[in-house]
Every structure is written in structure tokens, then in C-alpha cells.
Amino acid sequence: MWKDVLPGILSRFLFLLSTDLHAGLVWTSVFIVFHRHETKAMMNNSGPRYKRSQLEKRLNTDVLWCVLLLIIMCLTAAVGHGLWLKNLKDPVFQVDTDTSPALAGFYVFWTMIIVLQVLIPISLYVSIEIVKLGQIYFIHHDLALYNEQLDCRIQCRALNITEDLGQIQYLFSDKTGTLTENKMVFRRCSIYGVEYPHEENARRLEVYEAEKMEAAGCSVTLKLGCSGRSLSGRSLSCKHSSVSLHTVTEEEEEEEEEDQPSNHIQHRTSAFCSRMTKEVVPDPELVRKLNWFCSPMLALSDGSSGTPSSLELTYITDFFLALAICNSVVVSSPSQPRHVVPETRTPLKSLEEIKLMFQRLSFSPLSALSSLSPPQIKGSPRSFTSRLFARGKTDTFTFSTPTNSTTDGSEPGRESNQETSNLRREVHSSSRVESGGDAEQMEDRETDDYIEGARTNPEGARQEVEGLTGDVDCERATDDELLYEAESPDEAALVHAAHAYRCTLRGRSAESLLVDLPGIGSLAVQLLHILPFDSNRKKMSVVVRHPLTGQVVVYTKGADSVIMDLTETPKGSEQAREIYSLIREQTQNHLDGYAREGLRTLCIAKKVLEEEEYEVWLKGQLLAESSIEHREELLLEAAQRLETNLTLLGTTGIVDRLQEEVPDTIEALQRAGIKVWILTGDKKETAINIAYACKLLCPNDQLLTASCGSKDACAALLEELKLEVQRGVDGLTGDPGESSSGGVGGFVLVLDGRTLDWALQEEPRSDFLELSRRCKAVICCRSTPLQKSKVVRLIRDQLGVMTLAVGDGANDVSMIQVADVGVGICGQEGMQAVMSSDFAVSRFKHLRKLLLVHGHWCYSRLANMILYFIYKNVMYVNLLFWYQFFCGFSGSVMTNAWVLILFNLIFTSVPPLIYGVLDRDTAAHTLMELPELYREVQTSEVYAPYMFWITVLDAFYQSLICFFVPYFAFRGSSVSELSFGSPINASALLIVLLHQVIESHTLTWIHVLVLVLSGGSYFGFVLLFSLFCVTCSPPTNPVGVETLEMSQPLFYIVCALTTVTALLPRLLFRALYNTLHPSAVLEPARMDKVDSEKYRRKMQRWNLSRSRDNRLRLCADHPGLEPSTASVVS
């Protein structure tokens, strides 16, 4: 049994480690609960949706028209044969007079079905699949879509919708990990209503960015021919190519070398642990306050002299403790396997000292758990940041003694001090009212005695502080060995931020956590429960029992829209409630400011449970966990019962940078006529800021915000916004949704998750669709995965447009599967989006070339090939149909059966395939520079319904010329039917092949070779057939027919005249049309030729000026040199 089960489990990201510790083996036991189709991932997987391209659907319609044409032609032949027999009198040849004309006509109908069945392009479907394989091959091997840093290239997982890439009208994109790097870096925070800007941290990020840009200027180009890395498998195999795949900067190479682990465990746990994430520079003001907290020489005062209050310090320590333990981060090191809590080291302070410190701080119901003090600082706060900013060594600082002066002269620092001072005075006065007088006097006496002792013996006090700091520094020596493996980059960024303030997560097991607290050392925290994050609650919680107080504490982090509503106003004096309200107000202001800066925000809160309250909740939780039916709903209810009446601690702001070239990509997509929607779970302000940063929003755009609390209010607001947009449309000449960034501003709609719920319901849906259709872009904030899929399905079905959804995480899977084309990004959150997608790329910028170039090419190639295939079949079949008017509609043909079979099977089968794979109507750089050209294929102009009938009429005309020119040339002669059919077949072949030359936009040596081989194979076959085949086509005898015909000048005159007459109208029409209606393609092509000529002349002059130098002259006529490089050589 286990032999059958284990492979199914091990294939789903389960790692088994066998580690040798202290010369002993650690055995790992695996207990399997669910496997294979019983796992949650498999049960949530609804399977791939079969997708058919729009081109394939239209082709099916045209094939039905071909069937109708075939039936009409066969009925015509059947009726004609019946009438011919009926009116035939005294025939000079043998005729079956026993069969009635009606029955003979019925027989002829089915005979003509067999003869003319080529009209139905069954082989076209096979040819399309072959062409798609060729297109996918070139997409897959496009060097511009290869990411060398990730050693990853594009994956084409759907083989039947490549042409849909050229018809996208709506693009739905996730934000985090799709538009951004998904490499979270802690930027700033707000605690106790006080904002800490972390200016040094901001400058650190600017330095990284500047160094990266500077290094990109002097990048090291890795050529494939010289690369030591094998490009097989996921990478490309181009050993003999000298084309550069990517430019890897020196800074990036150095960072990769530093981040490269030395063993297997480090290699797998290095996710989300880049240098930018780990090297968090603490804020000097926050460090100064922590220094007051741990200083044994200074008492906690009322804040009048710049010292923090006890309540503020409680918030700060609870805040960082929550950052360290409220997560699912796994800790490991080279000497420690995962999920193992190492032996707790002796705390730096004695247990009595820790309890005494907690008693001094446990004064208010707001701080049931007041965690421990950070270590001390040596040196001034101004100098510690310079010593701290050592690249790659984040834990080499020591805390300094407190000073009353601010450490940063910037405006944020002064504002932070002012906020702190105001809140501190109010909180300290309220705390004195609530605290007993005796405890306050005892605390003051203890502090006075300690300060007096420090004054009488300053050397001893100094030695004590330095000894404590030395112990902390020794303890930090092992921190570099810790490796954090997080489920998301947010968790990793917050854990590293807590580590920067000396609140370090050292170990984790299923039942406990090992945390290093500043100034105390390692403490084992009993882990009672973990309530993981889900899209409904939008938060995560951990329930722990504090090792010192023994209280049950709930630490929660989540979206501000949820946490702020779950916080309670504490019971107590009026002044305490006012202070807490002020804290909430200040925190909300900071949240809005973070969101306007484009930062990702999370709120941190806590709750202290009484034992009775915890026991009651535990019963409901255990019941939900053991329930078989409605388990998910019961767990959700239990979590919601626990996560109420929270105490707000603070908020964090995490920066997530945009990916490179995202603004240019979105701007190009909008110019191409693609409407871009952003569906994100972030705050409204954050989404709007990102939209401005990526050029989805322009300064001249009008922002429409919809935020409602009820269905009726939503319907009324949508109606009002629709009228406002309608008035704006009346004042414009065009659709505002089609305005580009450089033109007239359009309307951009912004909705939150609750309003989106109402808008997707039945009644407001029509107004929402009409409003969104007229808007340039739509931004949906705080949206859940289910809402994303509903939005995509609504737009796809109701508006009847082609949709593309792109995402990188598991929460984007439903959206990707619902869209017509799903694109997954190989990001930081696993491979679920990639596995569910039709195409997978490594960066968002690759969508630009994938859609504008490959999408354009794939659609135009297939559309033109389908039209050419239909033309070829109709043209040749009509030759057989016209002959029926001269043979009594008997179903006879004027050629031998082998030529009839091989004409479409061999002689004219390969050119359409080459045409569909290699033809390029526009160069790639032109399509990239002029995204407006995408509209031609987006609106199906290449394969519009009328194009089918134009093609059929052209085929009818050419078949008439091809048949009747030889007919009138041989009229009255005694040639046989095979001799009459010889110039017809030869002319038909030349017309079909030259027709493709006229329609082709690209003519390479491959095209010429295939055309020559196709024509040569026909003439070679018929000549050999005429020489050696005596009994191959009874009752006719083809021996000598072709050799005789090809030996006469009339044969070549007829073929030439027929070919020119048949193709001349199409050639004249195309020349006249391009003259009267020049397309946007011709002007870039002409400019390319002009630029190439200018570049050639400039290079000639440069060569002449350099002719006396002993340098290698550049060839001015080198075809590989781009005209854009002319500016380099002046």
C-alpha cells in the first residue's frame, strides 16, 4: 500500500530530509492522510477548460459554406446530366438507355461528390496543426522571451490558441508578482500611532537601485557560444550562436554569488532571502526608544523629557514579537534540520529580573503581554547608522545610550517626535490614574535607588552595561547561519524586520517557537494554534501561551480593511478611550499615506484571552477540526469568533518594486487597443499609486471611484457614473476607452471588493458593463480570487470580447482558467498559475512581444493560409466542374487519376505550410514600435467574413481563365482529353504557386526552394509517368502525352497567357489599393529603407575617414547591423 501511495505524495512538494547530527541519524516518519485525488489541490482543480480559438470557429463556418457550394455544384451536375440524357436523341456513342434520367442524375450526384470532394478542406485542419507547431517552435526559441537569470524561457502549454494572442481586447492582470517583483522589502512602520519613516532604509534602497542602474551601463554580455551553462532543458540550446541572450550586470552576478548557498539545505531555503530583504536598517528614533526600555539607569517617565511611556514601549515590543511569531516561517541552519526547536540557551537576564520587568510594565489592560527589552547601544544614534550600513552584515551594530536630541534632522523625524510626545503625555497621565499609588511609589523608589547607585559607582554601572552588550554581540554571531523559508515574501520581509530589531525567530516546531528577545535571550513560546491566512478572512493569527505570564495571547496580522473594523475601544476612563481613538486615527492616516506611496500595508493587532474564554473557544475549534461535513465553514466561524475585540498595535509598509519595462509594456498595450484591468487584493490607494507608476493612469485621466455599502447605493452610483461618462463621451470625438496616454484623457473606474460584489449581481450588472466598457481602464481593489474569475467571465460572455488573464499565484488560477487566454508568470509563489495557464512567461514585459509580435504574426499567418488553402481547393475543383459542361455532366475528368490525387497531396501541400510558418507581414521591431498595427488583426480585418467570398470569387475567375484559355486554344483540334488537360494542370499549378508569391510578405530562400521543388516535382512526375506508365491509368493510356505536349511551343504560350491573365487582376488590384489606401505598414517599411541607406552612406564616410588607421574597417553593407546603431558611430 505504501509503495503505491508514496509517489503520489512525494510528487507534491514534500521534502524528506535525512540529516546526520552528532554522528546519529534522524529518522523521519510520514503519516499520509490524503493522497492523489483526495488532496486539497486536486479537489480544487476543476481541470483544464477546452479552449477553441476564434479563428477555428470562423473556419468551421467557412467549411460549412464549402459544403454548401459542393452540394450546389453536385446538384447542378445531377440536374444537367438528367436533362442531357432526356434531350439526347440518336447518340453516336454508347449510352445506357435502360436507366431513367432521374436515376442517372442521382448516380451522377454521388459521382460528383467523389470527384469534387477536394472542395471540403479536410486536410486544412491537419495543415493548421502543423503550422501551429512551427509557430510554437519559434515562439519557444525566441531569445527575447528568455530570462537567463532564472534560466527560464516561455512555455507554450496550449497548442490550439496561438492565433488568439493576436485578438486580445481585454487584459486582466494581478498586481503583486505580476506587475511587481514580489520581492518584499520592509520600508517603514507605524507603532502606537507614531510613524517611523526609516529614512536610512529608504536611502539604502536608493543606493541599491542606483548601483543596479550604474552596473547595467557597464554590463557583462554573456554569449551563448561562450557560456559554460548548458542551455538544454528549460534553457535554449544554441551552442553555435553568437547572439546575446541577456545582459547580466556585475552587481547581479555578485549578488547571485553571495546568495549561492554551499549546501543542499541552504539552496532550498534561500527563497525570499535576498540582500535587500535581509538588510533592514532600523529607524534611529525607534532604536532610541527601545534603548530607553532596556536601560537599567533610566526610569520610564511621563514623556515630558523625550522618554517613551510604558504603554508605548509595550506596544513596540508586542509589535515586533508579533512580526517574529505570527507567520508560518520555517527556520533552518546548516547544523539544524527544519521544524526542530534547538535547546534553549540560558537567558541573558535571570528569571526574577524578567518577571520584575514585566511587573513594572503590566499596568494597563491594553498591555497584557509586555515583551522584553532590546539590548543596549554603544555610541551615538547618529553614528550607529553609518556603522550599521555594512553590505551583507546586518547584525554588526550595538545599541547606544539614549540622548534627548533627535537622530535625524529630517522633517519626518521631527514629526515623529511630536506625535510621540503628544501621545506619550496623554497615555502616561491615564496610566497613572489607572495604576495604584503604592505601585507607582515603589517603582519610583526602585528607580531612584538604581540611579543613585549608578552615580556613586559609575564605573560598575558602565561595566555592567558593556558586559550585557558583549553577551548580546556574542549571541549575534550565530544569526548569520539562520535561514528563513517563508510561504510568501511578505512573511520573510516582516521576520527580517523583526530580526533587525533583535527580535529573532530561531526555531519552530509543531508545538513551540524559539524566539530571541533583546536583552533577555532565547525563550520557548508554546504554540497553541495557527489560524492560516485565507481570502475570506484576509488575515492570519497565532495563539500562544506566554512563557512568563502564562496568559493566552492572540497575535493577528492582516488587511487594514478587516483589522481596523475588528479593533475595540478599551474599557476604562474616558481619557484612555480618547487616547486609543487617537492612536487609531493616526494609524489610519499613516495607512493612507503608505498606500499613496504604493506600499503594501498590513495591520498588526493582539488580544489577551482569559482561561475561561479560551476553553470555550477551544471546544468549538476542536469540534470544527474533527467535523467531516461543513468543516471549512465551521473553521471559518471559529476563527471569526476568536479574532474580535483586537487591540491595534501598528502597521507596516512594505515596498514591492515594479518589474522592469512594465510601464512601457502597458502603454504599448493600450496603444494597441487592449484595455488593461488590474484585479488586486491591495488597498485602493496602493492600487491607484501602482496604476500611476505603470502608466495605466495618466495625469489627464479622470478617476471614477465607487465605494458603496449597499446594493441600492451601488446601483445608484453606477447609474450616476454612467451618465457622467456619457456626458464626457459626448464632448469627445472618440471613445475615451481607446484614448492613449499621449492623447485625450479617458475615464478610469476604481472599485473596492464590496462594491464589486454588488456590481456583479443581476440588477446593477448592465450598468456596470456599460460603464466599464466606456472606461479606459478599471481597477478592482480588495478583490478575492472568486471575484476575479467572475469579472473575467462577465466581460468575456456579456461583451463577447477576447480576454487574457495574467497572474503568478494560486489565487489567480481561477481567473487564468476562465479567460480565453491564460498566462502564468513564473514568480515567487509556486507553479500553480503556470500549471494552469496556456502560456507561461518569466516577466510581465514579455507580454509585449508575445502579443504585439507573435500574436500578430500567428493570426495573420493562419488567416492568410486558410484563405489561400480555400482558394487553392476551389480554384482546382472548378476546373473539373467546368469540364462537366462539355462531357454531358458524366463525372469524367480531363486528367489522369494520379495527378488528380497528388495535386493537393504533394505538389501544392508544402508551400502553404511554409507560408503559414515563416511569412511576416511586418518586421518585429516595427510591430514593437507601432503597437497600433495590432488593431488590424485584433479586429479580424485579415480574415473578415467578406474575405471568404472575395477569395471564392477570385478562385472562380482564375478557374474560368485557366480552363477556357486552353479550351479556345485547342478548339476544333483533335487533341485527346489528356492532351487537353495537360496545359490546364500545368497552368493551374503555376497560378497557384505564383498566387502565393503575390500574397506573401516575405520571400526567403526557403520559400524559393519550396516553390521550385513543388513545380519541379509536378513536371518531373508527369514526364516520368508519360514515359514509363503504360497501364497505370486504365482505360486511358497516358504514355507520350506529356512529352508530346511539352515539346510544342503552343503548350508554353497557353501556360504563359493563362497564368498572366489569371493573376493580372489581383496584382493590379493590390497595387491600386496600396496606392490609394497606404497602410501603416508601408510607411515604416519605407522609413526603414531610408534609414538603412542613410546608415550605409554614413558608414562609408566613417570608413573613409578611418582608412589611415590600423583598425578593422566596418562593412557598410553588413546586413546584420541595425540602423538604430548609427548614432553610436558619429
Side-chain angles (χ1 to χ4, degrees):
M1 172 183 175
W2 299 108
K3 179 175 61 177
D4 298 332
V5 171
L6 276 176
I9 291 295
L10 295 179
S11 62
R12 293 202 168 269
F13 315 106
L14 180 64
F15 298 99
L16 295 179
L17 300 180
S18 178
T19 308
D20 188 0
L21 292 179
H22 306 294
L25 291 178
V26 177
W27 292 90
T28 303
S29 300
V30 179
F31 295 94
I32 300 171
V33 181
F34 301 106
H35 74 288
R36 293 185 179 176
H37 292 282
E38 297 178 358
T39 58
K40 186 175 182 180
M42 292 296 293
M43 294 180 68
N44 289 335
N45 186 6
S46 58
R49 182 175 69 91
Y50 177 71
K51 299 180 180 181
R52 287 196 307 164
S53 66
Q54 295 296 326
L55 194 66
E56 184 180 348
K57 296 176 182 178
R58 183 165 297 173
L59 172 61
N60 294 337
T61 303
D62 292 342
V63 169
L64 292 178
W65 285 116
C66 291
V67 173
L68 182 60
L69 286 176
L70 176 63
I71 294 175
I72 292 175
M73 296 170 69
C74 293
L75 285 176
T76 303
V79 174
H81 184 68
L83 294 176
W84 181 77
L85 282 180
K86 184 178 180 181
N87 297 327
L88 183 65
K89 297 179 180 179
D90 300 328
V92 295
F93 42 83
Q94 185 178 1
V95 178
D96 186 8
T97 57
D98 297 335
T99 305
S100 64
L103 183 60
F106 177 77
Y107 291 156
V108 167
F109 175 84
W110 294 108
T111 302
M112 294 303 296
I113 288 288
I114 298 174
V115 172
L116 305 180
Q117 51 87 23
V118 182
L119 184 62
I120 302 177
I122 301 299
S123 60
L124 176 58
Y125 288 94
V126 180
S127 302
I128 287 177
E129 297 303 320
I130 297 175
V131 168
K132 287 182 178 180
L133 288 177
Q135 292 176 349
I136 289 175
Y137 174 83
F138 286 108
I139 294 175
H140 202 215
H141 290 78
D142 189 347
L143 302 183
L145 304 181
Y146 175 72
N147 189 330
E148 185 169 353
Q149 277 118 5
L150 298 179
D151 191 20
C152 179
R153 59 184 175 183
I154 184 173
Q155 301 178 29
C156 301
R157 302 175 56 82
L159 305 182
N160 59 334
I161 57 172
T162 54
E163 62 272 25
D164 280 349
L165 294 173
Q167 292 192 287
I168 301 301
Q169 296 169 281
Y170 279 76
L171 188 147
F172 300 89
S173 173
D174 182 33
K175 184 187 78 67
T176 304
T178 304
L179 301 178
T180 62
E181 294 277 1
N182 203 14
K183 294 179 180 178
M184 311 299 181
V185 180
F186 181 83
R187 172 61 182 83
R188 58 205 307 174
C189 66
S190 172
I191 310 172
Y192 187 68
V194 180
E195 207 270 338
Y196 300 98
H198 289 71
E199 296 296 337
E200 289 291 338
N201 202 34
R203 282 189 282 270
R204 172 182 69 96
L205 300 180
E206 294 176 359
V207 169
Y208 278 134
E209 196 69 27
E211 290 180 354
K212 183 177 180 181
M213 296 299 295
E214 181 180 358
C218 54
S219 58
V220 180
T221 302
L222 297 181
K223 294 190 177 181
L224 294 181
C226 305
S227 177
R229 176 185 300 178
S230 174
L231 293 181
S232 60
R234 293 172 59 201
S235 57
L236 303 178
S237 179
C238 303
K239 295 181 180 180
H240 304 290
S241 175
S242 60
V243 183
S244 300
L245 284 181
H246 201 75
T247 55
V248 182
T249 63
E250 296 175 355
E251 174 69 20
E252 290 171 346
E253 287 182 326
E254 178 185 351
E255 181 173 345
E256 288 180 359
E257 290 176 0
E258 292 181 2
D259 289 343
Q260 277 296 333
S262 59
N263 55 63
H264 181 67
I265 299 178
Q266 288 180 345
H267 179 69
R268 293 194 303 102
T269 57
S270 59
F272 316 132
C273 293
S274 63
R275 290 170 52 200
M276 293 185 63
T277 302
K278 294 188 290 187
E279 294 180 2
V280 178
V281 182
D283 186 83
E285 177 65 18
L286 186 53
V287 172
R288 186 180 67 85
K289 293 178 180 179
L290 288 172
N291 185 41
W292 280 96
F293 175 73
C294 69
S295 176
M297 297 181 296
L298 298 172
L300 301 176
S301 65
D302 59 355
S304 59
S305 60
T307 60
S309 66
S310 300
L311 181 58
E312 181 180 5
L313 292 177
T314 303
Y315 271 62
I316 293 174
T317 51
D318 279 339
F319 178 84
F320 286 111
L321 185 61
L323 295 188
I325 68 174
C326 187
N327 51 63
S328 58
V329 173
V330 178
V331 187
S332 64
S333 65
S335 60
Q336 164 191 327
R338 292 175 180 161
H339 302 284
V340 174
V341 177
E343 184 180 356
T344 305
R345 292 170 293 182
T346 305
L348 299 179
K349 292 181 181 291
S350 66
L351 187 60
E352 294 299 328
E353 290 175 340
I354 297 174
K355 290 185 177 180
L356 178 60
M357 181 170 56
F358 269 80
Q359 291 174 2
R360 293 176 60 189
L361 291 179
S362 59
F363 59 91
S364 169
L366 288 174
S367 59
L369 174 62
S370 45
S371 288
L372 318 158
S373 61
Q376 309 212 355
I377 299 178
K378 289 194 292 187
S380 64
R382 186 179 301 275
S383 64
F384 102 94
T385 53
S386 61
R387 297 198 308 273
L388 176 67
F389 195 63
R391 306 297 294 270
K393 299 178 181 180
T394 62
D395 46 16
T396 59
F397 68 92
T398 55
F399 286 82
S400 63
T401 56
T403 59
N404 292 331
S405 62
T406 59
T407 62
D408 195 347
S410 61
E411 191 64 30
R414 291 194 296 268
E415 182 180 348
S416 175
N417 290 338
Q418 184 178 359
E419 293 176 358
T420 306
S421 179
N422 296 335
L423 287 171
R424 190 186 295 123
R425 293 190 186 97
E426 298 180 11
V427 173
H428 185 76
S429 58
S430 64
S431 63
R432 285 182 178 270
V433 172
E434 296 176 4
S435 303
D438 295 340
E440 179 183 345
Q441 293 175 4
M442 182 182 299
E443 177 182 335
D444 293 340
R445 283 197 300 268
E446 292 174 355
T447 304
D448 294 340
D449 293 342
Y450 198 88
I451 293 177
E452 184 64 26
R455 289 175 180 173
T456 56
N457 189 9
E459 185 65 23
R462 184 183 62 82
Q463 292 178 356
E464 181 180 349
V465 174
E466 291 183 354
L468 177 61
T469 308
D471 293 339
V472 175
D473 292 338
C474 293
E475 179 185 335
R476 296 189 64 102
T478 61
D479 289 345
D480 285 336
E481 301 176 358
L482 293 179
L483 297 173
Y484 293 136
E485 183 180 0
E487 291 184 356
S488 67
D490 299 80
E491 287 190 345
L494 296 180
V495 172
H496 286 296
H499 173 72
Y501 286 96
R502 299 302 299 120
C503 189
T504 305
L505 177 64
R506 287 199 164 274
R508 173 186 294 272
S509 69
E511 299 177 353
S512 62
L513 302 168
L514 186 64
V515 182
D516 274 5
L517 297 177
I520 295 178
S522 298
L523 290 177
V525 181
Q526 184 180 358
L527 181 61
L528 301 178
H529 297 279
I530 296 180
L531 306 180
F533 176 88
D534 63 65
S535 58
N536 295 320
R537 291 167 40 242
K538 297 182 180 180
K539 55 185 175 294
M540 173 190 179
S541 298
V542 294
V543 184
V544 298
R545 185 179 297 276
H546 198 274
L548 299 177
T549 63
Q551 293 176 308
V552 178
V553 185
V554 181
Y555 288 102
T556 303
K557 67 176 181 182
D560 61 291
S561 59
V562 177
I563 298 296
M564 298 299 284
D565 294 338
L566 297 177
T567 56
E568 66 163 352
T569 301
K571 300 178 182 179
S573 64
E574 183 68 24
Q575 187 176 8
R577 289 195 295 268
E578 292 179 359
I579 293 172
Y580 190 73
S581 300
L582 182 61
I583 293 174
R584 288 191 54 183
E585 180 182 353
Q586 292 290 344
T587 303
Q588 185 63 55
N589 293 335
H590 298 153
L591 281 168
D592 297 337
Y594 293 171
R596 284 190 293 269
E597 294 180 14
L599 302 180
R600 291 173 57 88
T601 58
L602 280 176
C603 284
I604 310 299
K606 76 164 189 177
K607 177 182 180 181
V608 179
L609 296 177
E610 299 294 338
E611 289 296 333
E612 296 79 5
E613 183 181 2
Y614 172 69
E615 292 295 334
V616 173
W617 175 83
L618 182 59
K619 292 180 180 179
Q621 176 71 13
L622 294 177
L623 179 62
E625 291 177 354
S626 60
S627 177
I628 299 178
E629 296 181 355
H630 308 291
R631 184 174 183 270
E632 298 295 333
E633 292 81 358
L634 293 176
L635 288 174
L636 177 62
E637 293 176 2
Q640 290 176 344
R641 285 196 304 268
L642 181 67
E643 296 165 334
T644 57
N645 300 328
L646 302 176
T647 300
L648 180 65
L649 299 176
T651 183
T652 60
I654 299 176
V655 62
D656 186 12
R657 298 179 303 168
L658 279 178
Q659 295 182 16
E660 67 276 10
E661 300 183 26
V662 166
D664 297 336
T665 301
I666 290 183
E667 183 181 15
L669 294 178
Q670 288 184 325
R671 289 173 56 191
I674 300 175
K675 292 188 177 182
V676 181
W677 288 32
I678 293 181
L679 310 178
T680 178
D682 287 337
K683 282 175 62 66
K684 177 181 66 177
E685 293 82 3
T686 303
I688 292 175
N689 182 277
I690 294 296
Y692 273 113
C694 64
K695 293 185 180 181
L696 182 65
L697 281 176
C698 301
N700 53 352
D701 290 334
Q702 184 174 350
L703 203 63
L704 307 176
T705 304
S707 181
C708 308
S710 64
K711 182 179 179 180
D712 296 336
C714 177
L717 181 59
L718 291 178
E719 180 68 25
E720 180 183 352
L721 293 177
K722 187 177 70 172
L723 296 177
E724 181 179 352
V725 172
Q726 183 63 42
R727 289 192 296 267
V729 171
D730 294 339
L732 298 174
T733 57
D735 190 351
E738 298 180 358
S739 62
S740 62
S741 58
V744 181
F747 295 93
V748 178
L749 179 63
V750 181
L751 303 92
D752 59 10
R754 185 162 46 184
T755 305
L756 185 60
D757 265 337
W758 301 121
L760 293 176
Q761 294 188 7
E762 189 67 29
E763 296 179 4
R765 181 183 300 173
S766 58
D767 292 335
F768 172 66
L769 283 172
E770 182 66 21
L771 176 61
S772 61
R773 187 182 66 84
R774 295 178 178 271
C775 288
K776 169 187 173 183
V778 178
I779 303 173
C780 300
C781 315
R782 296 300 189 193
S783 54
T784 63
L786 182 60
Q787 287 177 333
K788 293 181 181 181
S789 61
K790 287 183 177 180
V791 168
V792 175
R793 181 180 287 107
L794 177 67
I795 299 299
R796 184 198 69 191
D797 296 339
Q798 298 298 324
L799 297 184
V801 294
M802 288 292 296
T803 59
L804 182 146
V806 54
D808 72 312
N811 57 342
D812 303 318
V813 169
S814 57
M815 173 179 69
I816 289 174
Q817 291 179 337
V818 167
D820 294 300
V821 179
V823 178
I825 291 185
C826 307
Q828 307 285 329
E829 297 188 7
M831 299 293 290
Q832 293 194 40
V834 171
M835 298 299 292
S836 304
S837 64
D838 304 310
F839 300 88
V841 296
S842 59
R843 311 296 284 177
F844 184 82
K845 66 177 181 179
H846 293 159
L847 287 179
R848 182 178 183 180
K849 188 169 187 181
L850 181 63
L851 298 182
L852 302 186
V853 177
H854 290 291
H856 182 102
W857 284 348
C858 289
Y859 182 83
S860 62
R861 288 167 175 172
L862 278 175
N864 289 324
M865 192 202 74
I866 290 173
L867 292 175
Y868 175 76
F869 217 100
I870 293 174
Y871 147 79
K872 177 173 66 72
N873 288 2
V874 174
M875 188 266 184
Y876 190 74
V877 163
N878 273 287
L879 298 177
L880 307 178
F881 180 71
W882 303 135
Y883 183 71
Q884 302 306 310
F885 288 89
F886 301 92
C887 66
F889 299 98
S890 60
S892 301
V893 294
M894 67 290 189
T895 182
N896 65 74
W898 285 105
V899 173
L900 184 64
I901 294 173
L902 299 179
F903 188 87
N904 284 300
L905 184 63
I906 293 180
F907 302 146
T908 60
S909 61
V910 180
L913 301 181
I914 301 300
Y915 180 45
V917 174
L918 298 180
D919 187 56
R920 293 190 303 175
D921 59 341
T922 313
H925 65 89
T926 304
L927 292 174
M928 294 287 283
E929 295 172 359
L930 297 175
E932 292 80 6
L933 298 178
Y934 185 80
R935 297 174 185 262
E936 296 181 2
V937 296
Q938 185 187 46
T939 55
S940 302
E941 293 181 5
V942 180
Y943 190 27
Y946 64 87
M947 290 299 300
F948 170 79
W949 295 109
I950 292 178
T951 302
V952 171
L953 290 177
D954 189 23
F956 267 88
Y957 163 77
Q958 293 187 11
S959 65
L960 285 171
I961 297 297
C962 187
F963 181 83
F964 283 100
V965 168
Y967 171 77
F968 287 109
F970 291 102
R971 186 178 182 182
S973 65
S974 60
V975 296
S976 65
E977 59 178 4
L978 293 182
S979 299
F980 173 67
S982 177
I984 293 178
N985 285 328
S987 300
L989 178 70
L990 294 176
I991 291 172
V992 168
L993 295 181
L994 292 178
H995 180 96
Q996 179 178 327
V997 174
I998 295 175
E999 292 298 311
S1000 297
H1001 303 88
T1002 304
L1003 193 63
T1004 64
W1005 66 269
I1006 300 178
H1007 291 80
V1008 175
L1009 179 63
V1010 170
L1011 292 174
V1012 171
L1013 290 178
S1014 297
S1017 63
Y1018 167 77
F1019 288 102
F1021 174 79
V1022 295
L1023 286 175
L1024 293 176
F1025 193 85
S1026 176
L1027 289 174
F1028 302 105
C1029 192
V1030 179
T1031 59
C1032 296
S1033 183
T1036 60
N1037 187 3
V1039 175
V1041 173
E1042 297 293 341
T1043 55
L1044 177 63
E1045 288 295 322
M1046 292 184 186
S1047 64
Q1048 300 176 358
L1050 182 62
F1051 174 84
Y1052 300 100
I1053 294 175
V1054 169
C1055 290
L1057 181 62
T1058 302
T1059 304
V1060 173
T1061 307
L1063 295 177
L1064 188 61
R1066 171 167 286 271
L1067 193 62
L1068 292 177
F1069 171 78
R1070 186 165 294 280
L1072 182 64
Y1073 181 83
N1074 291 335
T1075 302
L1076 299 178
H1077 302 280
S1079 65
V1081 180
L1082 297 179
E1083 183 64 21
R1086 188 183 66 82
M1087 293 302 297
D1088 287 344
K1089 293 181 180 179
V1090 172
D1091 292 340
S1092 300
E1093 182 64 23
K1094 290 181 180 179
Y1095 176 71
R1096 189 184 66 83
R1097 290 196 298 267
K1098 192 170 186 179
M1099 291 301 299
Q1100 286 178 345
R1101 292 194 300 268
W1102 185 84
N1103 282 333
L1104 291 176
S1105 64
R1106 294 283 183 173
S1107 59
R1108 297 181 181 179
D1109 298 339
N1110 294 326
R1111 298 182 180 179
L1112 179 65
R1113 295 181 54 182
L1114 296 179
C1115 180
D1117 297 326
H1118 196 288
L1121 296 177
E1122 294 290 340
S1124 60
T1125 60
S1127 59
V1128 179
V1129 183
S1130 58

